[in-house]
Amino acid sequence: VSTQSTGRHILIHQALGVGIMEDDLSVPGKLLWANNGDAISTQYAGTAALKGDYCRTGERGVAGMMRDGVSSVTRMYINIFRDTNRQAAIDIMQGLEADLAEIREEVKEELNCIPVLLEQGQKLLPSAQENKSHNI
């Protein structure tokens, strides 16, 4: 958020130098900054940037908090289950030696965790009886 303020200040200063008024940059500048943050975050972490709603609107809403929660869980999943292969690819491109046997073993272990995660997730979901009582 502080980076956004600094970037906005510099953008306004440069725009004023070429005759563009600050009011003309307010909404487009926020959207440009937030969309750029989403693009960088997606490349780095696999999800859109957190607190994107605040960058776009200046307000923090429940929907934005829920979106950030989903993004955080998605990032955790990517970190636990998907990052090994990505890191191995980066290592290979940098000329480092990747231990493919270790990677295969990690993937096998990760796959064994999936049924347990699904079972735990189902326990967190409301039962059919609870859905009926809440008219869901």
Side-chain angles (χ1 to χ4, degrees):
V1 176
S2 64
T3 309
Q4 177 190 9
S5 298
T6 304
R8 185 173 184 272
H9 175 74
I10 292 170
L11 177 66
I12 289 170
H13 180 71
Q14 290 174 341
L16 290 173
V18 294
I20 299 173
M21 303 310 297
E22 180 178 348
D23 293 340
D24 296 335
L25 289 175
S26 183
V27 173
K30 287 179 181 179
L31 292 176
L32 176 68
W33 188 263
N35 291 343
N36 184 53
D38 284 344
I40 292 169
S41 180
T42 300
Q43 289 176 345
Y44 179 74
T47 68
L50 302 179
K51 298 187 177 89
D53 58 325
Y54 184 77
C55 287
R56 285 178 176 85
T57 65
E59 296 177 359
R60 193 80 173 114
V62 174
M65 287 185 243
M66 295 295 289
R67 195 173 310 111
D68 286 353
V70 170
S71 291
S72 295
V73 170
T74 303
R75 288 178 179 192
M76 184 183 77
Y77 168 81
I78 289 170
N79 185 39
I80 293 171
F81 293 109
R82 306 290 305 276
D83 205 40
T84 303
N85 294 334
R86 183 187 314 184
Q87 187 60 51
I90 292 169
D91 290 346
I92 291 169
M93 287 189 288
Q94 292 179 341
L96 302 173
E97 194 172 317
D99 186 356
L100 298 179
E102 181 182 333
I103 293 169
R104 285 188 196 103
E105 189 59 36
E106 286 181 19
V107 169
K108 286 179 187 176
E109 290 174 14
E110 292 165 357
L111 291 174
N112 291 335
C113 293
I114 292 174
V116 175
L117 288 172
L118 290 173
E119 182 181 323
Q120 294 298 320
Q122 287 176 340
K123 290 179 182 176
L124 297 173
L125 295 174
S127 67
Q129 183 63 30
E130 290 173 321
N131 285 340
K132 286 181 184 177
S133 67
H134 295 296
N135 295 324
I136 296 176

